[in-house]
Amino acid sequence: CHQQGKLSCMSCHQMHKPADGRPLEDWRDDQLKPGMRGNQACISCHTELQDTADLANHTHHLAESQGSNCYNCHMPHTSYGLLKAVRSHQVDSPDVAVTLETGRPVACNQCHLDKPLGWTADWLTEWYGQPRPELNEDQQEVAASILWLLSGDAGQRALAAWTYSWPPALEASGDDWQAPMLTWLFDDPYQAVAFIAGRSLHSLPGYDQIGYDFLGNEEHVHAKRDEVRALWQQRPSQRPRTTVLIDETGQLLLKEIERLYSQRDNRRISLTE
C-alpha cells in the first residue's frame, strides 16, 4: 500500500492533537487523525469496499463486526512493544503458510483464540483460494493460541497472553476458559511475559482480585497458580472444548497441556521495542 499506492504514516496519524473534541487520552494512545479508528484510510483507496454489502462479501464477516475492520486482518497485533501487542504496519493478508515459516501469529487466530490453524487454513482456502499448507496433528486439532502460549517462543507467548484480554477476541471466543491457561506463564523466564499474563488474567471476569504479582517468589507464584485453577474449577461456565484442552466433563486435559508445555521454546530472544 505504500510502495504501490499512496499510503503513508500521515494517512492515518498526525503529530499534534486536532481540535475535534476528543479527550487528550483518546488521541495520544495512537495519535490517529479524526475518523481513522476504522476503515476510512483503507476504503479511501479501495473504493470497491465502501458499500457495506461488498465489504461483507470480501471479509465474510458482518460489515459492522470486528472481522470487517480492515486493520484487524491486514495490520494485526503481531508486533511486541511496551509490554503489549501492537499492530504490524507491514500491510499483509492472513496466510497460515507464512505463520509456519516465520512464527508470526496469523490474524484469524488472534480473534478466534479457540480455533486451530487447520480451521483457519480451511476457511482461507474456501474463501480466497489460498493453498492449504501441510499441518501436523497439533496444528490441526489444538487452538493456535494454546500452542503459542504453551510451546511458543517468548515473543509468541507475550502476544498470545495479550490476546487473552483483547475485547474482540473475547467476543469471538468467549472469556470462560483462558484463566487457567494463563497460569502456565506465571513462572515464565521472561518477566515481561509473566507481567502480561497477570494483566490479562486480572481483566477476565471474576479474576480481578487474584492479586498475582509477576515479581513474586516461587511460593507466591505457585500459590496464585493453584488459586486461579481452583477458582476456575468452581465456575459453572466451562464448556467442553477439546481445541482448548477442556474435556467433555469441563476438566483440563492436563496431560496434553503438560506435553505441550514441555516443548516450550526457551531459546533466548531479543525483541526491539
Side-chain angles (χ1 to χ4, degrees), residues 175 179 201-210 227-228 231-232 235:
D175 59 10
L201 173 74
H202 291 143
S203 75
L204 294 173
Y207 297 92
D208 55 328
Q209 300 298 320
I210 288 295
E227 182 181 351
V228 171
L231 177 60
W232 182 80
R235 296 175 70 83

Side-chain angles (χ1 to χ4, degrees), residues 232-247:
W232 182 80
Q233 291 287 1
Q234 296 168 10
R235 296 175 70 83
S237 56
Q238 302 97 280
R239 290 173 290 164
R241 296 191 189 190
T242 56
T243 59
V244 296
L245 306 182
I246 299 173
D247 68 17

Side-chain angles (χ1 to χ4, degrees), residues 80-85 154-155 157-165 182 185-186 190-203 212 214:
Y80 167 82
L82 303 175
L83 296 174
K84 63 180 182 179
R157 299 196 301 271
L159 296 177
W162 180 89
T163 59
Y164 277 28
S165 65
L182 287 167
L185 299 182
F186 280 6
Y190 284 84
Q191 290 179 335
V193 175
F195 169 81
I196 297 169
R199 184 176 60 195
S200 289
L201 173 74
H202 291 143
S203 75
Y212 161 70
F214 76 104

Side-chain angles (χ1 to χ4, degrees), residues 1-19:
C1 293
H2 170 70
Q3 294 174 332
Q4 301 179 33
K6 298 180 180 180
L7 186 71
S8 74
C9 300
M10 306 313 293
S11 298
C12 302
H13 301 280
Q14 64 185 75
M15 293 299 295
H16 300 283
K17 183 184 179 303

Side-chain angles (χ1 to χ4, degrees), residues 2-230:
H2 170 70
Q3 294 174 332
Q4 301 179 33
K6 298 180 180 180
L7 186 71
S8 74
C9 300
M10 306 313 293
S11 298
C12 302
H13 301 280
Q14 64 185 75
M15 293 299 295
H16 300 283
K17 183 184 179 303
D20 62 349
R22 280 182 295 170
L24 180 62
E25 291 76 12
D26 288 354
W27 167 79
R28 69 184 180 188
D29 177 54
D30 41 27
Q31 295 176 275
L32 285 175
K33 285 181 177 179
M36 288 299 162
R37 195 175 293 281
N39 290 342
Q40 184 56 43
C42 301
I43 63 177
S44 63
C45 286
H46 296 277
T47 56
E48 71 279 7
L49 297 178
Q50 290 180 356
D51 180 80
T52 56
D54 291 335
L55 176 65
N57 286 335
H58 171 69
T59 65
H60 298 275
H61 290 73
L62 295 175
E64 66 275 11
S65 72
Q66 291 290 335
S68 283
N69 278 350
C70 303
Y71 48 58
N72 281 341
C73 294
H74 299 290
M75 295 176 61
H77 293 89
T78 56
S79 298
Y80 167 82
L82 303 175
L83 296 174
K84 63 180 182 179
V86 295
R87 292 192 182 279
S88 168
H89 280 60
Q90 178 179 317
V91 181
D92 205 350
S93 295
D95 190 327
V96 173
V98 171
T99 293
L100 297 178
E101 180 181 354
T102 66
R104 186 172 66 243
V106 63
C108 309
N109 296 94
Q110 289 195 302
C111 255
H112 297 281
L113 300 174
D114 56 340
K115 302 300 184 184
L117 286 177
W119 175 90
T120 302
D122 288 340
W123 283 116
L124 291 176
T125 298
E126 180 171 335
W127 289 343
Y128 306 112
Q130 192 177 101
R132 194 184 195 282
E134 184 176 346
L135 301 170
N136 64 33
E137 184 175 353
D138 286 336
Q139 292 162 343
Q140 293 273 21
E141 303 294 338
V142 181
S145 73
I146 295 287
L147 298 181
W148 296 325
L149 187 140
L150 293 176
S151 303
D153 63 34
Q156 292 170 326
R157 299 196 301 271
L159 296 177
W162 180 89
T163 59
Y164 277 28
S165 65
W166 186 39
L170 300 182
E171 181 181 349
S173 311
D175 59 10
D176 59 348
W177 56 270
Q178 293 90 343
M181 297 303 171
L182 287 167
T183 64
W184 266 269
L185 299 182
F186 280 6
D187 61 352
D188 199 279
Y190 284 84
Q191 290 179 335
V193 175
F195 169 81
I196 297 169
R199 184 176 60 195
S200 289
L201 173 74
H202 291 143
S203 75
L204 294 173
Y207 297 92
D208 55 328
Q209 300 298 320
I210 288 295
Y212 161 70
D213 181 359
F214 76 104
L215 293 176
N217 59 26
E218 184 177 353
E219 182 180 0
H220 168 83
V221 168
H222 288 173
K224 292 302 176 182
R225 177 199 62 194
D226 294 343
E227 182 181 351
V228 171
R229 295 179 188 177

